[in-house]
Amino acid sequence: MNIISVNDYTEMSRTAAEIVIGKVKGNPEIILGLATGGTPKGMYDSLIEDHARNHTSYEQVTSFNLDEYIGLKPNDPNSYHFYMNDSLFNHIDINKERTFVPNGTPENTDEECKRYDERIDSLGGIDLQILGIGQNGHIGFNEPGTSFTSGTHVVTLEDSTRQANARYFDSIDDVPTHAMTMGISTIMKSKQILLLISGEEKAETLKRLIDGEITEEFPASILKKHNNVTIIADQKALSGVV
Ligand code: F6R
């Protein structure tokens, strides 16, 4: 794992955006894997700013999001579908028909999961996957204990994850209990992975990722087995690593 050390959240976001922009320019038909949450928000802002200023085009780009809450429709302001439209897709020239987010209200969840993986595979796989990380080491919504061989599947969210995400909802009771997420093996099939980590509250997490063993109890640890992972971490996140 290659680590790029940056000063703060702003620099992390700009550095990540520069990498994405370079890849999109190099391959206008790139397939991006995208994340939601607080971490990539600044990167999306930088992509939007660049699109307005330099007209980087996303017309031919395809995207797959990591996850979606079960029970939330795309127009629900707390759905990840809504987040992506609001934080990025509505502000660039991407063709929304090529933006895929797991369907949180499918008739048949198993079939939806299978279809999601099949669609990624049929298009040739994800070229660049953006990841954030939960304090417990989750990537996507793959909580500790998830099998490293998992494909896209439905998960029960840990209380700590629901609490961490409650900031976006009126109350913790409104946070869905289940989500659909790309599996660990889906993520590991990406050709390149960019993991963004910012803030003191992720310092222990980053330390464990770097120093700890590879175990399903800490899902992100599998990234050590991937041959093209870049971590962009700010000083607060790096504060536990000497
Ligand atoms: C979101 C996702 C999650 C987040 C993680 C960190 O699509 O897959 O794994 O990346 O929960 O969330 P933030 O960035 O809000 O700290």
Side-chain angles (χ1 to χ4, degrees):
M1 296 188 299
N2 170 32
I3 302 182
I4 301 178
S5 155
V6 294
N7 286 318
D8 53 19
Y9 181 81
T10 306
E11 199 184 333
M12 177 195 78
S13 303
R14 286 206 191 116
T15 307
E18 274 165 27
I19 293 174
V20 173
I21 291 163
K23 297 288 285 185
V24 169
K25 284 186 172 156
N27 175 12
E29 293 181 11
I30 193 167
I31 301 187
L32 296 176
L34 300 175
T36 57
T39 308
K41 187 77 178 60
M43 181 191 81
Y44 295 143
D45 289 344
S46 292
L47 294 180
I48 293 167
E49 208 182 299
D50 164 77
H51 174 70
R53 189 173 300 159
N54 304 316
H55 313 294
T56 304
S57 179
Y58 297 81
E59 250 181 322
Q60 308 297 327
V61 169
T62 299
S63 70
F64 285 93
N65 262 82
L66 280 166
D67 40 20
E68 179 59 288
Y69 289 116
I70 294 287
L72 300 193
K73 295 219 164 79
N75 60 358
D76 186 307
N78 284 313
S79 74
Y80 285 169
H81 219 114
F82 188 96
Y83 169 107
M84 286 311 302
N85 285 333
D86 193 49
S87 305
L88 182 65
F89 300 153
N90 287 348
H91 311 285
I92 58 173
D93 63 346
I94 198 162
N95 177 352
K96 287 228 183 109
E97 286 183 9
R98 273 202 282 270
T99 64
F100 299 101
V101 180
N103 176 4
T105 53
E107 274 176 28
N108 181 323
T109 38
D110 288 346
E111 269 177 28
E112 174 66 18
C113 292
K114 207 169 141 241
R115 223 185 354 248
Y116 204 66
D117 280 336
E118 282 171 359
R119 183 170 273 153
I120 295 173
D121 288 343
S122 72
L123 293 175
I126 290 169
D127 295 303
L128 176 65
Q129 174 68 54
I130 309 297
L131 291 180
I133 186 169
Q135 280 174 270
N136 61 6
H138 73 227
I139 47 176
F141 270 139
N142 294 287
E143 299 283 30
T146 305
S147 164
F148 282 157
T149 61
S150 56
T152 297
H153 63 291
V154 172
V155 291
T156 305
L157 298 176
E158 285 206 348
D159 283 345
S160 62
T161 301
R162 291 183 66 234
Q163 262 153 27
N165 291 356
R167 64 191 193 274
Y168 299 111
F169 293 80
D170 288 339
S171 87
I172 177 94
D173 296 334
D174 293 335
V175 184
T177 52
H178 292 79
M180 191 180 290
T181 180
M182 276 187 204
I184 297 286
S185 85
T186 319
I187 294 170
M188 287 294 282
K189 278 196 240 166
S190 311
K191 294 170 191 109
Q192 184 178 356
I193 294 176
L194 199 54
L195 171 61
L196 311 184
I197 313 188
S198 164
E200 247 168 68
E201 66 280 10
K202 301 275 174 76
E204 270 302 310
T205 310
L206 181 54
K207 185 177 162 45
R208 184 164 175 196
L209 176 60
I210 292 170
D211 297 339
E213 52 166 358
I214 298 175
T215 163
E216 288 179 348
E217 289 313 309
F218 192 75
S221 61
I222 191 70
L223 297 175
K224 291 183 185 186
K225 289 215 169 154
H226 194 284
N227 63 10
N228 195 350
V229 175
T230 300
I231 299 175
I232 309 181
D234 69 9
Q235 293 311 303
K236 285 187 176 157
L238 281 163
S239 60
V241 185
V242 254

